[in-house]
Coordinates of all heavy atoms in Angstrom, one line a residue:
Y548 N -158.8 76.8 130.4 CA -159.4 75.8 129.9 C -158.5 74.7 129.3 O -157.4 74.9 129.0 CB -160.1 76.3 128.6 CG -161.3 77.2 128.8 CD1 -161.0 78.6 128.8 CD2 -162.6 76.8 129.0 CE1 -162.1 79.5 129.0 CE2 -163.6 77.6 129.2 CZ -163.4 78.9 129.3 OH -164.4 79.9 129.4
A549 N -159.0 73.4 129.5 CA -158.2 72.3 128.8 C -158.3 72.5 127.3 O -159.3 73.1 126.8 CB -159.0 71.0 129.2
D550 N -157.2 72.2 126.7 CA -157.1 72.3 125.2 C -158.3 71.6 124.5 O -158.8 72.2 123.4 CB -155.9 71.8 124.7 CG -154.6 72.7 125.0 OD1 -154.9 73.9 125.4 OD2 -153.5 72.1 125.0
S551 N -158.8 70.6 125.0 CA -159.7 69.8 124.3 C -161.1 70.4 124.3 O -162.0 70.1 123.6 CB -160.0 68.5 125.0 OG -160.2 68.6 126.3
V552 N -161.3 71.6 125.1 CA -162.7 72.2 125.1 C -162.6 73.6 124.7 O -163.6 74.2 124.6 CB -163.2 72.1 126.6 CG1 -163.3 70.6 127.0 CG2 -162.6 72.9 127.6
K553 N -161.4 74.1 124.5 CA -161.2 75.6 124.2 C -162.1 75.8 122.8 O -162.0 75.1 121.9 CB -159.8 75.9 123.9 CG -159.0 76.1 125.1 CD -157.5 76.4 124.8 CE -156.7 76.6 126.1 NZ -155.3 76.9 125.9
G554 N -162.8 76.9 122.8 CA -163.6 77.3 121.7 C -165.0 76.7 121.7 O -165.9 77.1 121.0
R555 N -165.2 75.6 122.6 CA -166.5 75.1 122.6 C -167.2 75.2 124.0 O -168.4 75.3 124.1 CB -166.3 73.6 122.5 CG -165.8 73.2 121.1 CD -165.8 71.6 120.8 NE -165.0 70.9 121.8 CZ -165.5 70.0 122.6 NH1 -166.8 69.6 122.6 NH2 -164.7 69.3 123.4
F556 N -166.4 75.2 125.1 CA -167.0 75.4 126.4 C -166.6 76.8 127.0 O -165.6 77.4 126.6 CB -166.4 74.4 127.3 CG -166.7 73.0 127.1 CD1 -167.5 72.6 126.0 CD2 -166.4 71.9 128.0 CE1 -167.7 71.2 125.8 CE2 -166.7 70.7 127.9 CZ -167.4 70.3 126.8
T557 N -167.6 77.3 127.7 CA -167.3 78.6 128.4 C -167.7 78.5 129.8 O -168.8 78.1 130.2 CB -168.3 79.7 127.8 OG1 -167.9 79.8 126.3 CG2 -167.9 81.1 128.4
I558 N -166.8 78.9 130.7 CA -167.0 78.9 132.2 C -167.3 80.3 132.6 O -166.8 81.3 132.1 CB -165.8 78.4 132.9 CG1 -166.2 78.1 134.3 CG2 -164.6 79.3 132.8 CD1 -165.2 77.4 135.2
S559 N -168.2 80.4 133.5 CA -168.7 81.8 134.1 C -169.0 81.6 135.5 O -169.2 80.4 135.9 CB -169.7 82.4 133.2 OG -171.0 81.6 133.3
R560 N -169.2 82.8 136.1 CA -169.2 82.7 137.5 C -170.0 83.8 138.0 O -169.9 85.0 137.5 CB -167.8 82.7 138.2 CG -167.9 82.7 139.7 CD -166.4 82.5 140.2 NE -166.3 82.5 141.6 CZ -165.2 82.2 142.2 NH1 -164.1 81.8 141.5 NH2 -165.1 82.3 143.6
D561 N -171.0 83.6 139.0 CA -171.8 84.7 139.6 C -171.3 84.7 141.1 O -171.8 83.9 141.9 CB -173.3 84.4 139.5 CG -174.2 85.6 140.0 OD1 -173.7 86.3 140.9 OD2 -175.3 85.7 139.4
N562 N -170.5 85.6 141.4 CA -169.9 85.6 142.7 C -171.0 85.9 143.7 O -170.9 85.4 144.9 CB -168.8 86.7 142.9 CG -167.5 86.3 142.2 OD1 -167.2 85.1 142.0 ND2 -166.9 87.2 141.6
A563 N -172.0 86.7 143.5 CA -173.1 87.1 144.4 C -173.9 85.8 144.7 O -174.4 85.6 145.8 CB -173.9 88.1 143.8
K564 N -174.0 84.9 143.8 CA -174.8 83.7 143.9 C -173.9 82.5 144.4 O -174.4 81.4 144.6 CB -175.6 83.3 142.7 CG -176.7 84.2 142.4 CD -177.4 83.8 141.1 CE -178.6 84.7 140.8 NZ -179.3 84.3 139.6
N565 N -172.6 82.8 144.3 CA -171.6 81.7 144.7 C -171.7 80.5 143.8 O -171.8 79.4 144.3 CB -171.7 81.3 146.2 CG -170.4 81.0 146.7 OD1 -169.3 81.2 146.2 ND2 -170.4 80.5 148.1
T566 N -172.0 80.8 142.6 CA -172.4 79.7 141.5 C -171.5 79.9 140.3 O -171.1 81.0 139.9 CB -173.8 79.9 141.1 OG1 -174.7 79.7 142.2 CG2 -174.2 78.8 140.1
V567 N -171.0 78.6 139.8 CA -170.3 78.6 138.6 C -171.0 77.8 137.6 O -171.7 76.9 137.9 CB -168.9 78.0 138.9 CG1 -169.0 76.5 139.3 CG2 -168.0 78.1 137.7
Y568 N -170.8 78.3 136.3 CA -171.5 77.6 135.3 C -170.6 77.1 134.2 O -169.4 77.7 134.1 CB -172.5 78.6 134.6 CG -173.5 79.3 135.5 CD1 -173.0 80.6 136.0 CD2 -174.7 78.7 135.8 CE1 -174.0 81.2 136.9 CE2 -175.5 79.4 136.6 CZ -175.2 80.6 137.3 OH -176.0 81.1 138.1
L569 N -171.0 76.2 133.4 CA -170.2 75.7 132.4 C -171.2 75.5 131.2 O -172.0 74.6 131.1 CB -169.5 74.3 132.6 CG -168.6 73.9 131.5 CD1 -167.4 74.8 131.4 CD2 -168.1 72.5 131.8
Q570 N -171.0 76.4 130.2 CA -171.8 76.3 128.9 C -171.0 75.4 127.9 O -169.8 75.8 127.7 CB -172.1 77.6 128.3 CG -172.8 77.7 126.9 CD -174.3 77.2 127.2 OE1 -174.9 77.5 128.0 NE2 -174.6 76.2 126.2
M571 N -171.5 74.3 127.5 CA -171.0 73.3 126.6 C -171.7 73.3 125.3 O -172.8 72.9 125.2 CB -170.9 72.0 127.3 CG -170.3 71.9 128.7 SD -170.1 70.3 129.4 CE -171.8 69.8 129.6
N572 N -171.0 73.7 124.3 CA -171.5 73.6 123.0 C -170.7 72.7 122.0 O -169.6 72.3 122.4 CB -171.5 75.1 122.3 CG -172.2 76.2 123.1 OD1 -173.3 75.8 123.7 ND2 -171.8 77.3 123.1
S573 N -171.3 72.4 120.8 CA -170.6 71.5 119.9 C -170.0 70.2 120.6 O -168.9 69.9 120.4 CB -169.5 72.2 119.3 OG -169.9 73.4 118.6
L574 N -171.0 69.6 121.4 CA -170.5 68.5 122.2 C -170.2 67.3 121.3 O -170.7 67.0 120.3 CB -171.6 68.1 123.2 CG -171.7 69.0 124.4 CD1 -173.0 69.0 125.0 CD2 -170.6 68.7 125.4
K575 N -169.1 66.6 121.8 CA -168.6 65.4 121.1 C -168.7 64.2 121.9 O -168.9 64.3 123.1 CB -167.1 65.6 120.8 CG -166.8 66.9 120.0 CD -165.2 67.1 119.8 CE -164.9 68.4 119.1 NZ -163.4 68.5 118.8
L576 N -168.8 63.0 121.3 CA -168.8 61.7 121.9 C -167.8 61.7 123.2 O -168.1 61.2 124.1 CB -168.6 60.5 121.0 CG -169.6 60.5 119.8 CD1 -169.2 59.3 118.9 CD2 -171.0 60.1 120.4
E577 N -166.6 62.1 122.8 CA -165.6 62.1 123.8 C -165.8 63.0 125.0 O -165.0 63.0 126.0 CB -164.2 62.4 123.2 CG -164.0 63.7 122.5 CD -164.3 63.5 120.8 OE1 -165.2 62.6 120.5 OE2 -163.6 64.0 120.1
D578 N -166.8 63.8 125.0 CA -167.1 64.7 126.1 C -167.9 64.0 127.2 O -168.2 64.5 128.3 CB -167.8 66.0 125.8 CG -167.1 66.9 124.9 OD1 -165.9 67.1 125.1 OD2 -167.6 67.4 123.9
T579 N -168.3 62.7 126.9 CA -169.0 61.9 127.8 C -168.2 61.6 129.1 O -167.0 61.1 129.0 CB -169.5 60.5 127.1 OG1 -170.4 60.9 126.1 CG2 -170.1 59.7 128.2
A580 N -168.7 61.9 130.2 CA -168.1 61.8 131.5 C -169.0 62.3 132.6 O -170.0 62.8 132.4 CB -166.8 62.7 131.5
V581 N -168.5 62.0 133.7 CA -169.1 62.6 134.9 C -168.3 64.0 135.2 O -167.1 63.9 135.3 CB -168.9 61.7 136.2 CG1 -169.6 62.4 137.5 CG2 -169.7 60.3 136.0
Y582 N -169.1 64.9 135.4 CA -168.5 66.3 135.5 C -168.6 66.7 137.0 O -169.7 66.7 137.6 CB -169.3 67.2 134.6 CG -168.9 67.2 133.2 CD1 -169.2 66.1 132.4 CD2 -168.1 68.2 132.6 CE1 -168.7 65.9 131.1 CE2 -167.7 68.0 131.3 CZ -168.0 66.9 130.5 OH -167.6 66.9 129.3
Y583 N -167.6 67.1 137.5 CA -167.5 67.5 139.0 C -167.2 68.9 139.1 O -166.3 69.5 138.5 CB -166.3 66.6 139.7 CG -166.6 65.1 139.7 CD1 -166.1 64.3 138.7 CD2 -167.2 64.6 140.8 CE1 -166.3 62.9 138.8 CE2 -167.5 63.2 140.9 CZ -167.0 62.4 139.8 OH -167.2 61.1 139.9
C584 N -168.0 69.5 140.0 CA -167.6 70.8 140.4 C -166.5 70.9 141.4 O -166.4 70.0 142.3 CB -168.9 71.5 141.0 SG -168.8 73.2 141.5
Y585 N -165.6 71.9 141.3 CA -164.5 72.1 142.1 C -164.4 73.5 142.6 O -164.8 74.5 142.0 CB -163.2 71.8 141.3 CG -162.0 72.2 142.0 CD1 -161.3 71.3 142.9 CD2 -161.3 73.4 141.7 CE1 -160.1 71.7 143.5 CE2 -160.1 73.7 142.2 CZ -159.5 72.8 143.1 OH -158.4 73.2 143.7
A586 N -164.0 73.6 144.0 CA -163.8 74.9 144.6 C -162.7 74.8 145.5 O -162.5 73.9 146.2 CB -165.2 75.3 145.3
N587 N -162.0 76.0 145.5 CA -160.8 76.0 146.3 C -160.8 77.4 147.1 O -161.0 78.4 146.5 CB -159.6 75.9 145.4 CG -158.2 76.0 146.0 OD1 -157.8 77.1 146.5 ND2 -157.6 74.9 146.2
N588 N -160.3 77.3 148.4 CA -160.1 78.5 149.2 C -158.9 78.2 150.1 O -158.2 77.1 150.1 CB -161.3 79.0 149.8 CG -161.8 78.0 150.9 OD1 -161.2 77.1 151.3 ND2 -163.1 78.3 151.2
V589 N -158.6 79.2 151.0 CA -157.5 79.0 151.9 C -157.6 77.8 152.9 O -156.6 77.3 153.4 CB -157.3 80.2 152.8 CG1 -156.8 81.4 151.9 CG2 -158.5 80.6 153.6
Y590 N -158.9 77.3 153.0 CA -159.1 76.1 153.9 C -158.9 74.8 153.1 O -158.9 73.7 153.9 CB -160.4 76.3 154.5 CG -160.7 77.5 155.2 CD1 -161.5 78.6 154.7 CD2 -160.0 77.9 156.5 CE1 -161.7 79.8 155.3 CE2 -160.1 79.1 157.0 CZ -161.0 80.1 156.5 OH -161.1 81.2 157.1
G591 N -159.0 74.7 151.9 CA -158.8 73.6 151.2 C -159.6 73.5 149.9 O -160.0 74.6 149.3
A592 N -159.6 72.3 149.3 CA -160.3 72.0 148.0 C -161.5 71.2 148.3 O -161.5 70.3 149.1 CB -159.3 71.4 147.0
Y593 N -162.6 71.5 147.5 CA -163.8 70.8 147.7 C -164.4 70.4 146.4 O -164.1 70.9 145.3 CB -164.8 71.7 148.3 CG -164.3 72.4 149.6 CD1 -163.6 73.5 149.6 CD2 -164.6 71.7 150.8 CE1 -163.1 74.1 150.8 CE2 -164.0 72.3 152.1 CZ -163.3 73.5 152.0 OH -162.8 74.0 153.2
W594 N -165.2 69.2 146.5 CA -165.7 68.6 145.2 C -167.2 68.4 145.4 O -167.7 68.0 146.5 CB -165.0 67.2 145.0 CG -163.7 67.3 144.6 CD1 -162.6 67.3 145.6 CD2 -163.1 67.5 143.4 NE1 -161.4 67.4 144.9 CE2 -161.6 67.6 143.6 CE3 -163.5 67.7 142.1 CZ2 -160.8 67.7 142.5 CZ3 -162.6 67.9 141.1 CH2 -161.3 67.9 141.2

């Protein structure tokens, strides 16, 4: 985790569904942004 989100955000993953989640709590004004999903394997990085 980035230091700025530790204790507030939780990432989880369901490998069977090939899905990743981000639970965001105690949101702050500075959390405003476009959030991009990222995935990486031996073939490369994807967004």
Side-chain angles (χ1 to χ4, degrees):
Y548 293 93
D550 287 343
S551 59
V552 307
K553 284 180 180 177
R555 300 188 298 122
F556 291 11
T557 302
I558 191 169
S559 61
R560 178 172 177 171
D561 187 333
N562 290 327
K564 294 183 179 180
N565 220 10
T566 299
V567 64
Y568 306 95
L569 186 69
Q570 178 65 44
M571 304 186 293
N572 298 328
S573 302
L574 284 160
K575 304 176 180 180
L576 295 174
E577 53 264 40
D578 294 319
T579 295
V581 178
Y582 284 69
Y583 294 93
C584 181
Y585 168 84
N587 176 287
N588 61 16
V589 294
Y590 304 111
Y593 306 89
W594 295 93

